[in-house]
Amino acid sequence: MILKRLALIVFIGSLAFKLDAQIFDKGTFSGSFETNNNLYRTDSVINANAPDDKFGSNTYFKFDYKLGKFSAGIQYEAYMPPLVGYSQFLKGNKIIGRYASYEDSLLTFTVGTFYEQFGNGLILRSYEERALGINNSIDGFSVKLHPIKSATIKAIWGKQRKYLDYGEGTLRGIDAELNLSTLLWKEPSVNIIFGGSWVSKYQEYTGTNNQIPTTVDAYAARLMLEYGSYSLNAEYMTKDKDPMQLNLFSMDKGNALLLQQSIVGRGLGATLSLRRVENADFRSERQAIEASFINYVPALTKQHKYALANLHPYSTQMMGEIGGQLDIFYSVPRKTNITWAKGVKINLNVSSYWKPKGNEYLSISDTLFFRDVGIEIEKKFSYKFKTALSFINQYYNKGAITGGASEVITNIAVLESYLKLRKNIWLKLELSELFPVQNENNWSLALAEVSFAPKWTIFASDMIDHAEQNIHYYNFGFSYTKNASRIGISWGRNREGLQCIGGLCRFVPAYSGFTFSISTVF
């Protein structure tokens, strides 16, 4: 009897192994691995105190398998403990993401964890931004239908990720989009797309305030138009009364408006954006402070690549702001008769945001939150040498944005050059100076980076705060890249401040020490 059972187990195991082997042989695997590690030390010069556990480590592993119309995958994350600046609620490790999906020309459905965005994200955007510790994926199911070629309908249902678990709130949503041009014409000269969305959240309430709703609905409508070199992107979102901790349990309705126009010509491109938001923060839990984002309202300011221009980054004021951005690019034609202008590119960027004026929808008050005016001129002298000169004027109302009473005004000048030393060897030099106008110190930065393409990069930088005594924030290290894998090692100091990406920020305290990272994609 025992021998028969063993024989049956061996037979079933062999059959399963053979079947697995056939399936795996036909499918494709893909994935990624990333680990970022810091060894901290106490550095009294920059007021950096090493935590009790001097090691910090954030690690991510993603694995996907695809066979025909079927795909599945998992994501493992470990924060042991989290890096400085990340929420300590992330501490631990877990397979936090897993999904299975089927896709064909009519229908796509996913069960498990997934990311989704409706329109521009004003009403719903679930995404991952590891640099900020954000992952608001949804655990549930999603369906995407293409009933006709010109139409798409999406539906989602589930709970949002909160740190290494899932929150209390439940999300439901539907989005529909119709391409009117492809519906009416075979070869349309104009592209017109309409869209509409509904998102609802439910969270149980057991308190004594009868005014607190358990369900909050939000609605959005959008229009995209493209004609020749002109394009328009417009979306308006409104949500019902949504009292929560972040808006001090306000019973006001919320809304957000986004208008973007772009035009592109020969050597010229311009984008004009307008945005107004009022009580637009939308979260799946009413008590959430740093998690459970449902929507996303981008900052619409220039994303500076220079460190001194990012000392005071702007974050979207979800309780109320109005403003916009103008971005112009111009490239001088190569056949110009002006010899010195050949190879010149110019970028002008202006952005300003104010507090709205009462109930007057498109009026601004006297409170200016942020203004950034910058011009960058890039000149390519030869295939071996190019340089860029930037000048930036910034106003940052620190009192209105982060508390306190100060208004910071600065002027920043940057000179950046690239020089080809030998075949596949490039030298990058950056010199920056921040000239304080009000409530800021004088800062300087020097950076040198040598790239031995395509594998090695060595860098050294020093950012100096010219306070009563000069404080040096030095960093030096190297990276090695081979195919899709990269190893980076560095040593240095990092200043206290906000780290922002696309209008979302996290506060990072000052820290000092050794950094080691590995990433690969397969």
Side-chain angles (χ1 to χ4, degrees):
M1 186 67 179
I2 294 176
L3 290 176
K4 287 184 178 178
R5 287 182 178 178
L6 285 175
L8 181 61
I9 292 172
V10 171
F11 173 74
I12 294 174
S14 301
L15 185 63
F17 179 79
K18 186 177 180 180
L19 183 61
D20 286 348
Q22 289 177 346
I23 291 174
F24 291 150
D25 284 346
K26 293 180 180 178
T28 56
F29 294 96
S30 62
S32 62
F33 173 77
E34 177 183 346
T35 181
N36 303 301
N37 307 274
N38 282 2
L39 174 60
Y40 301 104
R41 70 183 183 107
T42 296
D43 190 338
S44 59
V45 176
I46 61 171
N47 295 320
N49 295 313
D52 290 340
D53 189 343
K54 293 181 173 54
F55 288 92
S57 178
N58 292 3
T59 299
Y60 314 86
F61 174 68
K62 191 172 187 299
F63 183 77
D64 297 292
Y65 174 73
K66 183 173 177 60
L67 176 63
K69 297 177 181 180
F70 171 79
S71 60
I74 59 169
Q75 178 157 319
Y76 167 84
E77 297 180 18
Y79 305 86
M80 303 171 68
L83 297 174
V84 165
Y86 286 76
S87 174
Q88 290 301 307
F89 291 113
L90 284 166
K91 189 174 183 178
N93 67 100
K94 194 173 187 179
I95 295 178
I96 187 64
R98 69 280 185 274
Y99 75 94
S101 182
Y102 174 84
E103 177 179 7
D104 66 19
S105 59
L106 172 65
L107 168 71
T108 301
F109 70 83
T110 302
V111 295
T113 50
F114 60 89
Y115 302 98
E116 187 54 87
Q117 176 170 329
F118 291 172
N120 295 287
L122 297 184
I123 190 169
L124 172 72
R125 186 190 184 202
S126 60
Y127 66 109
E128 180 183 38
E129 183 54 74
R130 294 176 182 174
L132 296 178
I134 294 176
N135 188 321
N136 63 343
S137 58
I138 300 170
D139 186 56
F141 70 88
S142 73
V143 178
K144 186 183 296 183
L145 291 171
H146 300 282
I148 56 175
K149 186 178 179 180
S150 302
T152 302
I153 300 172
K154 302 177 185 176
I156 61 108
W157 192 299
K159 289 182 175 291
Q160 271 195 307
R161 175 176 166 178
K162 183 181 181 184
Y163 307 117
L164 287 183
D165 210 329
Y166 292 92
E168 298 176 9
T170 302
L171 285 183
R172 297 70 60 101
I174 296 175
D175 180 83
E177 187 170 282
L178 177 65
N179 190 320
L180 194 62
S181 302
T182 56
L183 180 67
L184 298 179
W185 304 292
K186 288 186 178 180
E187 297 181 357
S189 58
V190 59
N191 196 26
I192 304 173
I193 301 174
F194 292 101
S197 310
W198 163 77
V199 172
S200 175
K201 70 169 183 177
Y202 171 81
Q203 184 184 9
E204 188 179 5
Y205 178 72
T206 57
T208 57
N209 188 344
N210 295 328
Q211 301 298 314
I212 302 293
T214 53
T215 300
V216 177
D217 295 314
Y219 311 87
R222 63 184 183 271
L223 166 68
M224 287 166 279
L225 185 149
E226 293 176 349
Y227 180 72
S229 59
Y230 173 79
S231 66
L232 169 68
N233 178 15
E235 183 166 9
Y236 179 77
M237 181 276 282
T238 181
K239 71 181 175 93
D240 293 342
K241 297 175 182 177
D242 186 18
M244 57 181 172
Q245 193 164 338
L246 272 173
N247 64 14
L248 304 178
F249 292 91
S250 167
M251 298 301 289
D252 295 333
K253 293 184 177 181
N255 64 77
L257 171 68
L258 175 67
L259 289 171
Q260 288 183 306
Q261 297 180 85
S262 298
I263 188 167
V264 179
R266 178 174 295 182
L268 176 68
T271 301
L272 177 63
S273 306
L274 168 69
R275 185 184 64 214
R276 186 190 189 280
V277 300
E278 182 176 354
N279 195 17
D281 206 318
F282 195 25
R283 305 199 185 209
S284 55
E285 288 190 349
R286 63 179 70 88
Q287 70 273 21
I289 297 295
E290 57 177 12
S292 306
F293 306 96
I294 297 176
N295 63 341
Y296 171 77
V297 181
L300 296 183
T301 59
K302 186 173 179 65
Q303 304 299 297
H304 292 290
K305 59 182 178 179
Y306 304 117
L308 294 187
N310 285 309
L311 290 185
H312 303 288
Y314 182 66
S315 58
T316 307
Q317 301 302 296
M318 298 292 274
M319 285 304 297
E321 68 162 32
I322 181 171
Q325 175 181 220
L326 173 64
D327 200 33
I328 301 175
F329 287 92
Y330 178 66
S331 180
V332 177
R334 292 184 177 276
K335 294 183 179 179
T336 179
N337 294 323
I338 308 173
T339 307
W340 63 266
K342 290 182 179 179
V344 170
K345 296 179 180 178
I346 301 172
N347 174 215
L348 173 67
N349 184 279
V350 181
S351 60
S352 293
Y353 290 91
W354 292 265
K355 184 177 182 179
K357 186 178 181 180
N359 296 323
E360 299 176 33
Y361 193 77
L362 292 178
S363 297
I364 62 175
S365 71
D366 295 331
T367 302
L368 174 63
F369 287 134
F370 180 79
R371 182 187 62 233
D372 184 301
V373 180
I375 184 168
E376 178 178 317
I377 301 173
E378 180 184 310
K379 165 74 174 177
K380 187 174 183 180
F381 292 91
S382 69
Y383 74 95
K384 288 185 176 181
F385 179 63
K386 69 176 181 179
T387 190
L389 178 64
S390 301
F391 178 80
I392 303 157
N393 171 266
Q394 287 184 340
Y395 170 91
Y396 183 78
N397 194 334
K398 190 174 182 179
I401 296 173
T402 63
S406 62
E407 296 172 285
V408 179
I409 303 175
T410 59
N411 290 317
I412 302 156
V414 182
L415 178 64
E416 182 185 46
S417 299
Y418 292 85
L419 176 64
K420 187 175 185 179
L421 302 177
R422 296 177 61 184
K423 183 181 180 181
N424 297 332
I425 301 178
W426 282 88
L427 170 65
K428 173 188 172 184
L429 294 172
E430 179 189 328
L431 297 173
S432 304
E433 188 75 15
L434 184 149
F435 304 96
V437 178
Q438 184 174 313
N439 292 321
E440 184 52 275
N441 297 325
N442 177 213
W443 289 74
S444 303
L445 182 143
L447 179 148
E449 182 180 290
V450 181
S451 299
F452 303 86
K455 295 183 177 179
W456 291 92
T457 299
I458 303 171
F459 72 91
S461 69
D462 191 8
M463 190 165 70
I464 308 167
D465 180 3
H466 301 287
E468 294 182 1
Q469 59 178 0
N470 290 339
I471 301 175
H472 293 262
Y473 293 87
Y474 51 80
N475 271 282
F476 53 89
F478 68 91
S479 66
Y480 175 77
T481 303
K482 183 177 182 181
N483 299 326
S485 300
R486 181 183 183 276
I487 300 172
I489 296 176
S490 64
W491 171 269
R493 291 170 169 168
N494 292 270
R495 61 176 287 276
E496 173 186 287
L498 292 175
Q499 180 178 350
C500 299
I501 298 176
L504 295 176
C505 305
R506 71 179 174 99
F507 175 77
V508 181
Y511 65 93
S512 179
F514 174 77
T515 299
F516 173 65
S517 64
I518 300 175
S519 63
T520 187
V521 177
F522 56 90

